[in-house]
Amino acid sequence: MLVRVAATSFNPVDDHIRAGVLAEMIPITLPYVPGIDLAGTVAELGADVTGLEAGDRVVAMLPLDSAGAAAEYVLAPAESLAPAPRTTELADAAALPLSGLAAWQTAFELAELKPGRTVLVNGAGGAVGSLVVQLAVDAGAHVTAVDASRHADRLRGYGADRVVGPLTLAVGPAAVGGPFQVVVNHVRVSPEELAQLTNYVADGGVAASTAGPVPEDPARGVRSASLWVRSDGAQLAELVGKLDAGTLRLHVTARRPVAELAAVHEEAGAGRLPGKTVLITP
């Protein structure tokens, strides 16, 4: 499927792939064009593709090893595509695919989230964490969101029951209303601190992490799961539906031309990127 790109977005994994730190897990062939998130318009249909027409607005998470959305046109697997949201600018929709799929797979596949569960989201203000909070609230969970105070109003607006500042892990879970049936971690910390997060999980609960494995505690029935996000057009369509229904919101902090991609990578590496950045193709 040939897609005319409206925008892509920056994800931390883009920087990791460029730097070569994921070479063993994601072998790439040079030249490699970044851009895993895609929002655009179908330009040409592939052979035997049904359900889409030229001119359709679509979103997708492209394969990690080939990507290519930081361009004018890109070839996209038909099974990765979903109709673009109707209620969001097409360029801003590029903020959804990878982050949304990571949130969905963390919440519903790893954590097996159900109504009534108590959930701690550590790193709730980030692109994935923000969507986990909203998916959990929409699923009927009771959410405690953890992040810096600058995110507090937005997280309350998503429906979090409690919003607290960064955890002092050694203090223990009672200080933030725990332990919790589900702990979702998006914050990169030391192995020792990851081990302390296990204490925040209630007996029989689960820790789901995108930032390193949280140790299990078999004696208490605490299990752990780590995410390796995958493209899934059907799940992405579900997320688009929630976006159009108003139960999910995107938080885009910057919109920049794709010509500034190198500068975005540099700023991200230096810790100066303010949040989710969309890169728009002319």
Side-chain angles (χ1 to χ4, degrees), residues 13-26:
V13 70
D14 291 306
D15 181 66
H16 301 339
I17 292 171
R18 178 195 55 77
V21 298
L22 296 176
E24 290 188 7
M25 292 179 286
I26 308 174

Side-chain angles (χ1 to χ4, degrees), residues 111 117-118 173 177-183 197-207 215-224:
R117 293 269 173 99
T118 56
F180 303 86
Q181 292 166 304
V182 175
V183 170
L197 264 178
T198 305
N199 298 326
Y200 285 70
V201 186
D203 293 359
V206 58
E216 296 186 333
D217 186 348
R220 294 197 296 114
V222 172
R223 66 180 180 87
S224 175

Side-chain angles (χ1 to χ4, degrees), residues 121-197:
V121 183
N122 191 30
V128 179
S130 293
L131 294 173
V132 170
V133 168
Q134 294 177 75
L135 289 172
V137 169
D138 186 52
H142 304 292
V143 179
T144 295
V146 180
D147 216 313
S149 59
R150 67 180 182 275
H151 301 293
D153 288 344
R154 179 164 56 89
L155 293 169
R156 291 189 188 97
Y158 293 155
D161 295 86
R162 179 182 300 178
V163 178
V164 300
L167 297 176
T168 303
L169 288 167
V171 172
V176 289
F180 303 86
Q181 292 166 304
V182 175
V183 170
V184 177
N185 179 55
H186 302 296
V187 179
R188 294 204 172 274
V189 295
S190 68
E192 293 75 20
E193 289 171 308
L194 283 172
Q196 288 177 317
L197 264 178

Side-chain angles (χ1 to χ4, degrees), residues 87 134 240-249:
T87 56
Q134 294 177 75
V240 168
K242 289 183 179 296
L243 202 62
D244 282 340
T247 57
L248 204 62
R249 284 178 276 166

Side-chain angles (χ1 to χ4, degrees), residues 60-77:
M61 175 186 159
L62 298 177
L64 297 176
D65 61 351
S66 55
E72 187 176 359
Y73 289 89
V74 66
L75 288 171

Side-chain angles (χ1 to χ4, degrees), residues 43-78:
E44 293 182 17
L45 299 178
D48 302 321
V49 172
T50 59
L52 289 169
E53 297 181 359
D56 285 352
R57 292 161 32 114
V58 293
V59 290
M61 175 186 159
L62 298 177
L64 297 176
D65 61 351
S66 55
E72 187 176 359
Y73 289 89
V74 66
L75 288 171

